[in-house]
Amino acid sequence: MRNESCDIFCNVVDNYGDIGVCWRLARQLANEHGLAVRLWVDDLGSMARLCPETDAARDIQQCRGVEVRRWIKPFPEVQPAGLVIEAFACKLPQGYIEAVAAQQRSVWINLEYLSAEDWVHGCHGLPSPHPSLPLTRHFFFPGFTSQTGGLLLERDLFTRRDAFQNDTVQQQAFWQSFGMDMPSAETLKISLFGYENDALHDLFDAWASGAQPVLCLVPEGRILPQVKRYFEDAGRDSSRHGDCVGMNPDLQSCNLLVRVQPFVEQERYDELLWACDVNFVRGEDSCVRAQWAAKPFVWQIYPQHDAVHWGKLQAFLNLYCAPLSSSASEAVHGLWKAWNQENGAGQAWSVFIEMRGELELHAQHWARQLAANNLALNLLDFSQKIGRMRALEIEGQ
Ligand code: TRH
């Protein structure tokens, strides 16, 4: 059985990761696989940051081949799609679940958060029968190995990335769109997307006092107050160069030039990652995009209260660093830990950047290797398999 329609449910908890993943998946299923996709979102304001053509005041709209619907309460009576994706256990509306059970033809999948931990292998694809209705939900785990559901990767992403990286005209247009000339070849270009981080001061000091000029692009967001404080402290007068929070800035300290830039639409964020030499990212979606950019990167993992994020970070480091030489592996471990512990990032940076050549080669190899395990394809195969099993069960009843 082929699923021709899909409902994706997204509850925006905070930040942009939930909607970032759902919007990406929705576009891919609609535009690459021809499904009629409805994306139900409870916070269209967040969605509009990633896709500015979204009108946050409209309940129903068509965006880039996807029907975007406000997830309202009470939930309207609709016919469930053939494939139902509940993102990150966001809890589907009760009336909708009952309609799914009555219809008996939908495949219901819970798309889980990304983790490199081993336990994911045992949980990927597991069924979870509904306690009272004749319904089964299946868990689908993204991941980095063939025993997981893989990662979201658009069909043409690598072609677009390579075209961008080999085309000076496209790159010039990119820098000009931010009001800048193309940086000189000797400038190290760094994107810095992060949560609040006390290690920033130390890192900026290292960049400012290093031998190589650094251009650091900071997307507006939670780290901005610390950027501002750095330039206010110790007589680095940001007002000479512009107001950081007002975002028209060129903040300079010795060899470091910081440019704060507006949050760009989701597809353009990829260009930023492609244009830079090293990318600092946060959360799971930007972390995956940095891997597709095939450049050395530093992941600030989303912090969780019970510190489970440390296990997740270590699990990813173990996988990612396994093919590296011991000195490159130590350099990555050192900087990622310093950045996430918010301490000692300056020293760790010097060690990391010494390893740049090896880290670049590894990043390219890593991206090619991961690309074989495509989440959207796996999800469709999986749901078709479940659908066929369901049809046989119904036939046999
Ligand atoms: O926004 P995040 O911190 O989201 C987090 C994580 O997903 C985390 O796992 C989750 O539990 C928590 O939210 C609730 O980071 P993330 O995942 O990297 O998402 C950022 C999204 O924003 C991603 O899709 C890229 C996009 N983006 C743009 O579209 N334009 C931009 O200018 C930037 C900087 C990002």
Side-chain angles (χ1 to χ4, degrees):
M1 191 181 100
R2 182 163 147 62
N3 290 305
E4 263 139 27
S5 59
C6 173
D7 279 326
I8 302 178
F9 286 85
C10 178
N11 167 216
V12 177
V13 179
D14 59 6
N15 304 315
Y16 301 104
D18 308 291
I19 184 61
V21 169
C22 291
W23 173 230
R24 208 179 276 300
L25 176 63
R27 271 180 300 157
Q28 219 182 319
L29 292 180
N31 301 326
E32 293 182 18
H33 300 284
L35 273 71
V37 179
R38 280 186 301 208
L39 173 59
W40 300 89
V41 188
D42 64 351
D43 174 4
L44 287 174
S46 296
M47 162 93 195
R49 300 299 304 280
L50 306 183
C51 172
E53 72 205 48
T54 312
D55 181 348
R58 289 181 66 183
D59 287 349
I60 305 178
Q61 58 199 298
Q62 209 58 39
C63 286
R64 317 250 175 112
V66 174
E67 183 177 317
V68 178
R69 302 276 298 246
R70 187 191 306 284
W71 181 350
I72 44 171
K73 286 185 188 153
F75 195 73
E77 253 182 55
V78 293
Q79 185 177 6
L83 172 59
V84 177
I85 300 175
E86 174 183 3
F88 314 121
C90 64
K91 283 210 166 124
L92 303 190
Q94 185 56 27
Y96 184 91
I97 296 178
E98 285 163 12
V100 170
Q103 175 174 274
Q104 288 206 330
R105 56 168 281 275
S106 301
V107 173
W108 175 10
I109 283 172
N110 182 54
L111 176 65
E112 282 290 340
Y113 284 110
L114 174 64
S115 172
E117 291 161 299
D118 284 343
W119 60 263
V120 167
H121 296 151
C123 296
H124 174 56
L126 282 186
S128 161
H130 191 277
S132 55
L133 293 166
L135 256 187
T136 302
R137 178 169 72 142
H138 287 83
F139 294 104
F140 193 93
F141 282 84
F144 303 93
T145 66
S146 57
Q147 295 129 287
T148 69
L151 297 172
L152 277 172
L153 171 64
E154 296 80 5
R155 197 180 274 158
D156 62 350
L157 189 80
F158 284 10
T159 312
R160 285 192 288 118
R161 179 199 65 193
D162 295 346
F164 180 91
Q165 286 175 341
N166 292 322
D167 182 357
T168 323
V169 176
Q170 272 195 61
Q171 290 170 37
Q172 270 162 351
F174 170 84
W175 292 106
Q176 275 161 12
S177 72
F178 292 116
M180 275 179 274
D181 290 333
M182 189 141 147
S184 68
E186 55 154 358
T187 301
L188 188 70
K189 302 171 291 296
I190 299 175
S191 79
L192 182 63
F193 180 43
Y195 307 114
E196 302 78 3
N197 196 323
D198 284 342
L200 183 72
H201 198 288
D202 201 21
L203 190 63
F204 273 5
D205 271 351
W207 293 346
S209 61
Q212 188 174 14
V214 171
L215 169 64
C216 173
L217 296 170
V218 184
E220 59 171 317
R222 287 170 52 175
I223 204 168
L224 271 195
Q226 276 161 321
V227 173
K228 182 170 188 250
R229 211 167 310 133
Y230 178 82
F231 285 93
E232 283 170 355
D233 283 357
R236 297 177 202 94
D237 181 8
S238 63
S239 62
R240 259 187 323 126
H241 305 281
D243 170 14
C244 173
V245 171
M247 275 196 337
N248 187 20
D250 266 337
L251 304 164
Q252 183 135 26
S253 172
C254 304
N255 247 350
L256 167 66
L257 183 72
V258 173
R259 166 65 69 114
V260 178
Q261 58 166 66
F263 199 87
V264 292
E265 72 175 83
Q266 201 182 41
E267 280 165 342
R268 292 213 61 217
Y269 179 58
D270 282 321
E271 289 182 3
L272 173 66
L273 299 171
W274 302 340
C276 287
D277 303 304
V278 179
N279 294 301
F280 283 68
V281 289
R282 70 178 211 193
E284 65 180 68
D285 194 50
S286 54
C287 178
V288 171
R289 303 317 281 186
Q291 290 169 66
W292 296 145
K295 300 285 184 71
F297 75 105
V298 184
W299 183 23
Q300 186 179 13
I301 191 167
Y302 183 72
Q304 290 169 281
H305 288 306
D306 42 10
V308 288
H309 60 286
W310 281 109
K312 279 188 175 180
L313 188 75
Q314 189 57 55
F316 181 77
L317 277 169
N318 290 345
L319 269 187
Y320 186 72
C321 294
L324 288 172
S325 68
S326 59
S327 26
S329 171
E330 275 165 32
V332 174
H333 275 81
L335 183 57
W336 286 36
K337 290 207 166 147
W339 188 237
N340 282 281
Q341 278 165 349
E342 305 188 27
N343 189 14
Q347 174 65 30
W349 168 260
S350 323
V351 180
F352 181 87
I353 204 63
E354 280 288 308
M355 291 290 139
R356 186 176 162 198
E358 182 177 342
L359 296 180
E360 276 172 355
L361 285 176
H362 173 56
Q364 289 159 20
H365 178 73
W366 177 257
R368 275 196 300 274
Q369 182 194 312
L370 284 191
N373 200 15
N374 186 300
L375 189 143
L377 285 175
N378 293 337
L379 186 71
L380 290 174
D381 284 350
F382 181 68
S383 69
Q384 279 161 25
K385 194 176 96 194
I386 304 290
R388 279 196 297 274
M389 279 162 38
R390 169 82 48 75
L392 288 174
E393 265 170 40
I394 293 171
E395 247 176 56
Q397 276 170 10

